[in-house]
Amino acid sequence: MTARRVVITGMGVISPIGSNYEQSLAGLLRQDSGVVRIPEWDNISHLMTRLGAPIADTLVEKFPRRATRTMGRVSLLAALATEEAVADSGLDRAEFATGSVGLAYGSTHGSSSANEEWVRKLVAQGGFLGLASTTYLKFMSHTAAVNLAMHFGITGRVLTTCAACVSASQAIGYAYEHVRSGVADVFVAGGAEELHFSHAGVFDVMHATSRAHNDRPNEAPRPFDKARDGLVVGEGAGTLGLEEYERAKRL
């Protein structure tokens, strides 16, 4: 069978430098980094970096609680980016329930903040009494894909990727292959990550974080600089709408 042409018909982004695609693009053109010093990390011993790129909490507080009971921060970010991508694509959300629309979404793992809350309570009381039944749904590795499928009512193929920094790239690649091969005409694809001190800590113990600019966050990271000293972790989400070319032209 002849491979079909696949086009991007919609984009959605939430990032430390913008609450949507247009704002994030403008931030990039201004050379904003979104990197700041995180004061709360001063209380964590042996964490050498103090830098991160967070998203303002006010940008995340959009959906009613009923719609987010199983969503940790990573899923909330994914949902915000996907809302924009779906609107930008002009997709009819009624089509999501027909099985003809697929979803591929990834993250390194689930919500680290939800996982921390679960473990701290479990260890502190030495048992499971009072632990919320929805917490696991927030920190399971496939939480973003599952929550997006439920939130948007997507009943077609749902693919989840968990491959560290290439999780979103893999998801987009799988979506592209499915549309190109004719398995689906439409796919929603992307990835998300939330900021947590454990993420910074993982890279910190590998001596991979920026440490020399803790008091000068605007100067980090500097990947192409002779004096570069490491990376800075951040959070955000990006979603694409992928469609078969002829369908996209027709609609």
Side-chain angles (χ1 to χ4, degrees):
M1 185 176 68
T2 304
R4 304 191 304 173
R5 185 178 177 185
V6 185
V7 293
I8 296 172
T9 57
M11 297 182 288
V13 175
I14 181 168
S15 76
I17 58 175
S19 60
N20 54 42
Y21 169 76
E22 292 294 339
Q23 289 183 13
S24 296
L25 177 60
L28 285 174
L29 295 176
R30 291 193 305 268
Q31 300 183 38
D32 295 343
S33 70
V35 176
V36 298
R37 182 183 176 98
I38 310 292
E40 295 83 358
W41 292 2
D42 290 341
N43 300 320
I44 302 171
S45 69
H46 300 89
L47 180 66
M48 304 303 293
T49 187
R50 296 290 184 269
L51 303 180
I55 292 173
D57 289 341
T58 54
L59 298 179
V60 183
E61 298 167 358
K62 176 181 178 181
F63 302 113
R65 184 178 180 279
R66 178 176 296 180
T68 61
R69 286 179 297 181
T70 61
M71 289 188 185
R73 187 175 181 85
V74 65
S75 293
L76 286 169
L77 295 175
L80 288 167
T82 304
E83 288 277 3
E84 182 185 10
V86 168
D88 191 40
S89 290
L91 295 173
D92 182 359
R93 292 177 67 155
E95 187 179 3
F96 289 179
T98 66
S100 61
V101 177
L103 169 71
Y105 222 85
S107 62
T108 301
H109 41 70
S111 173
S112 295
S113 55
N115 193 23
E116 179 193 359
E117 178 186 353
W118 170 277
V119 172
R120 284 187 183 277
K121 191 169 185 179
L122 174 62
V123 172
Q125 65 186 25
F128 293 90
L129 180 65
L131 291 175
S133 60
T134 56
T135 305
Y136 172 71
L137 301 177
K138 296 178 181 180
F139 69 74
M140 59 188 184
S141 59
H142 53 302
T143 185
V146 170
N147 274 290
L148 288 178
M150 292 192 300
H151 181 72
F152 289 93
I154 295 175
T155 61
R157 289 198 177 192
V158 176
L159 309 174
T160 180
T161 57
C162 182
C165 300
V166 298
S167 298
S169 299
Q170 280 194 349
I172 294 168
Y174 288 147
Y176 166 78
E177 290 175 344
H178 277 68
V179 176
R180 183 185 64 173
S181 64
V183 175
D185 289 332
V186 184
F187 245 85
V188 177
E193 203 67 69
E194 70 177 62
L195 181 63
H196 190 264
F197 69 83
S198 63
H199 304 169
V202 165
F203 289 103
D204 208 58
V205 297
M206 293 190 290
H207 305 282
T209 53
S210 176
R211 304 174 177 184
H213 302 89
N214 284 334
D215 296 320
R216 294 165 289 152
N218 289 336
E219 297 182 17
R222 43 202 308 134
F224 306 108
D225 193 280
K226 184 178 180 180
R228 63 189 181 277
D229 74 320
L231 57 80
V232 176
V233 296
E235 63 181 352
T239 305
L240 299 178
L242 302 178
E243 296 185 57
E244 188 273 323
Y245 177 64
E246 294 298 333
R247 171 204 151 93
K249 282 201 311 181
R250 186 170 65 252
L251 299 179

